[in-house]
Amino acid sequence: MNKRKGKDAHLPLGECITQAQQILRERFCQQRLPNRLEGVEAQHKHLVELLKRTAIHGESNSVLIVGPRGAGKTALLRCVLRELLEEKDAQKNLLQVHLNGLLQTDDRIALKEITRQLQLENVVGDKVFGSFAENLAFLLESLKKGDRSSSRPVLFVLDEFDLFAHHKNQTLLYNLLDVSQSAQAPIAVVGITCRLDVLELLEKRVKSRFSHRQIHLLSSLTFAQYLERVRVQLSLPEDFPDLKFAEEWNAGIKTLCEDKSVEEVLQRHFNSSKDFRSLHLLLTLCLSRISIAKPAIRPADLLDTSRLCFADAKANMLHGLSILELCLIIAMKHLNDVYEGEPFNLQMVHNEFKKFLQRKSNSMYNFEQPVVMKAFEHLQQLELIRPVDSSSAKIQREYQLMRLTLDHSQIMEALQKYPQCPTDVKQWAMSAFA
């Protein structure tokens, strides 16, 4: 009876919306692992077998997981580790060390992090080592079991693997791969990278110690599957407290995904990136628009949030410029058109601006040279223009060569949205001649 009551419970609309937002935000932001990854069954099986041989049988291995950003490289590894740690032997023995090329920027920092993650700070103490290899060998030796019969297997995960190739002499990679090949201790080295040419970055001695095993992840997702994933991601679970609200919500989401304008928006996202993190950002923005007054996601919400996601940050910056700064940008655009993208300097831009003033005979835009220079410097601070090279800093400011970092379409689009833009300035921008 109580169970039936719980299922048939009708919560206030505000509470239903709050709970729905909480459930969906957790789903989008916490990136919970699915029960199984779709479309990568062969790669999953290959990686499981490889790491089992290290964790259970003490065999050393090395492998690279290669694929574009958002393809699911880290998710694949996490799913494999979850499955692996369900094995009793692996759970007791396997140690993990996770390094990231963005954080461990040199071998000294990496070694300190390895020591911390293996909890061997007390063992190392104040010992002085002659080389990186000696230090690493000592750490691995310290992991021998109580009976000293064998070492505990260690899994080294190197995220952003290509960045480790930029370390001096690639000492970390060399020593890890050397240990994995020489059977001094059972270790598995798993590199994660989005660079297909990563092996070309390795020195010969490092490359010769690598197993050359590579697991490639390339998204084979079709748009129909992507659309279904959107529907599933936005749907509420069966155990939602208010069954009636959940049914209405899920029916609304199904209708939303069948809407032609929504399909067009999602097709654009699918074509630009199949990364589910960017999709989750879009859906989170949609979710934030839900309220008691508007208790469902509408196609218009998806269209608006899509515009936000695809908004051009540089073009948006133009909306906050003064009329003088906007005029200088238009003068630069004309110089780019006339001289086919060749660099320009302040003097050339000012001359172009003066031509416009002479044609219009408008004293409203008549600015002194120091004011124009100040506006030009502000555009440089905003990085809308940049110097051609750093050596030009010695040249007088008026004659330093610059390039415009905006293209024609960005300028024209920004002009249409510029608040109360004077008609003559718009006409000048649209004219084919300076």
Side-chain angles (χ1 to χ4, degrees):
M1 188 73 177
N2 289 341
K3 281 184 183 175
R4 190 175 172 187
K5 266 189 180 179
K7 279 189 177 179
D8 296 341
H10 293 298
L11 301 175
L13 183 59
E15 196 173 328
C16 286
I17 289 169
T18 302
Q19 290 206 28
Q21 286 182 323
Q22 189 176 342
I23 289 166
L24 296 179
R25 279 201 182 105
E26 280 178 9
R27 190 182 290 169
F28 300 152
C29 302
Q30 292 183 6
Q31 300 288 315
R32 287 182 182 171
L33 283 179
N35 293 329
R36 65 185 184 88
L37 288 173
E38 296 171 15
V40 290
E41 289 78 8
Q43 293 94 324
H44 184 276
K45 188 182 175 186
H46 185 183
L47 193 58
V48 166
E49 287 173 359
L50 204 66
L51 297 186
K52 264 187 184 175
R53 294 208 290 268
T54 302
I56 297 166
H57 306 298
E59 180 187 309
S60 292
N61 283 304
S62 56
V63 64
L64 273 177
I65 304 173
V66 185
R69 294 201 185 280
K73 301 182 292 295
T74 305
L76 172 66
L77 181 61
R78 285 172 63 198
C79 281
V80 166
L81 287 175
R82 182 180 63 189
E83 186 178 320
L84 194 64
L85 294 174
E86 287 170 3
E87 304 263 348
K88 283 186 180 176
D89 292 339
Q91 202 171 18
K92 287 178 187 174
N93 286 340
L94 186 66
L95 295 167
Q96 295 179 41
V97 175
H98 293 261
L99 303 175
N100 190 307
L102 294 167
L103 300 175
Q104 282 74 49
T105 50
D106 63 41
D107 292 337
R108 184 183 58 80
I109 298 170
L111 194 59
K112 196 178 269 188
E113 184 61 17
I114 292 169
T115 309
R116 187 190 70 78
Q117 290 190 33
L118 294 177
Q119 298 177 359
L120 293 173
E121 294 99 330
N122 294 337
V123 179
V124 173
D126 297 324
K127 287 184 174 63
V128 178
F129 299 97
S131 67
F132 183 95
E134 275 180 35
N135 199 337
L136 184 63
F138 177 79
L139 291 176
L140 296 172
E141 186 70 23
S142 305
L143 297 171
K144 283 190 180 280
K145 288 182 183 174
D147 58 2
R148 300 192 176 275
S149 59
S150 62
S151 296
R152 291 183 69 178
V154 187
L155 167 67
F156 286 91
V157 178
L158 306 181
D159 211 343
E160 305 289 348
F161 182 85
D162 48 294
L163 297 181
F164 288 99
H166 297 299
H167 290 195
K168 189 181 177 184
N169 302 328
Q170 298 182 0
T171 310
L172 174 71
L173 295 181
Y174 172 76
N175 283 286
L176 286 178
L177 294 172
D178 189 48
V179 171
S180 74
Q181 198 181 53
S182 59
Q184 297 171 32
I187 76 165
V189 180
V190 178
I192 300 174
T193 182
C194 56
R195 285 193 63 164
L196 293 169
D197 64 341
V198 67
L199 291 183
E200 303 305 315
L201 303 175
L202 302 179
E203 294 174 2
K204 280 185 182 177
R205 62 178 191 144
V206 178
K207 203 185 286 188
S208 66
R209 282 160 175 77
F210 175 55
S211 67
H212 288 264
R213 285 190 192 92
Q214 292 188 52
I215 295 173
H216 288 269
L217 289 186
L218 298 168
S219 180
S220 57
L221 198 70
T222 63
F223 179 64
Q225 290 171 323
Y226 184 83
L227 205 57
E228 177 60 18
R229 192 71 65 89
V230 171
R231 189 192 65 75
V232 170
Q233 289 285 299
L234 280 172
S235 297
L236 292 175
E238 291 177 2
D239 59 352
F240 190 78
D242 190 323
L243 194 60
K244 187 172 182 291
F245 178 85
E247 285 173 358
E248 288 175 359
W249 174 276
N250 291 346
I253 294 301
K254 190 181 176 190
T255 309
L256 180 79
C257 292
E258 289 167 357
D259 188 281
K260 288 294 175 192
S261 62
V262 168
E263 277 191 25
E264 285 172 14
V265 168
L266 293 175
Q267 182 77 59
R268 188 180 173 194
H269 275 264
F270 178 76
N271 293 340
S272 66
S273 170
K274 295 176 179 67
D275 183 350
F276 281 105
R277 287 171 296 194
S278 65
L279 172 65
H280 286 155
L281 172 63
L282 174 73
L283 298 183
T284 304
L285 289 171
C286 285
L287 194 62
S288 65
R289 293 174 169 237
I290 302 299
S291 64
I292 294 174
K294 202 171 61 176
I297 297 174
R298 299 176 304 183
D301 296 327
L302 207 68
L303 290 168
D304 290 345
T305 52
S306 174
R307 284 192 200 102
L308 276 176
C309 287
F310 281 108
D312 188 331
K314 278 196 172 172
N316 285 345
M317 285 169 74
L318 294 179
H319 303 160
L321 297 182
S322 66
I323 289 292
L324 170 60
E325 288 163 344
L326 193 65
C327 287
L328 294 182
I329 291 282
I330 294 168
M332 293 168 200
K333 180 188 86 71
H334 283 308
L335 287 170
N336 268 354
D337 294 343
V338 173
Y339 299 108
E340 298 178 344
E342 287 295 307
F344 51 81
N345 58 37
L346 172 59
Q347 199 59 49
M348 292 166 71
V349 173
H350 198 188
N351 290 343
E352 197 70 26
F353 182 42
K354 280 178 181 173
K355 286 182 194 175
F356 163 66
L357 296 180
Q358 285 164 6
R359 282 204 309 275
K360 294 296 170 187
S361 305
N362 197 335
S363 59
M364 177 181 157
Y365 306 124
N366 230 339
F367 297 98
E368 298 294 324
Q369 175 78 8
V371 178
V372 174
M373 185 180 283
K374 194 72 181 171
F376 193 80
E377 285 172 358
H378 185 231
L379 294 176
Q380 190 178 343
Q381 285 168 1
L382 293 173
E383 296 183 6
L384 297 174
I385 56 173
R386 60 175 178 81
V388 171
D389 57 67
S390 54
S391 61
S392 65
K394 296 172 186 175
I395 302 168
Q396 197 175 336
R397 278 187 300 179
E398 291 92 326
Y399 302 103
Q400 282 179 17
L401 288 177
M402 297 281 181
R403 283 193 192 279
L404 187 62
T405 60
L406 297 158
D407 61 33
H408 182 276
S409 61
Q410 285 175 310
I411 296 168
M412 298 313 293
E413 189 181 333
L415 272 171
Q416 298 307 316
K417 295 176 183 175
Y418 189 90
Q420 297 174 340
C421 183
T423 310
D424 51 357
V425 172
K426 272 188 185 177
Q427 287 171 348
W428 178 40
M430 288 188 279
S431 63
F433 56 89

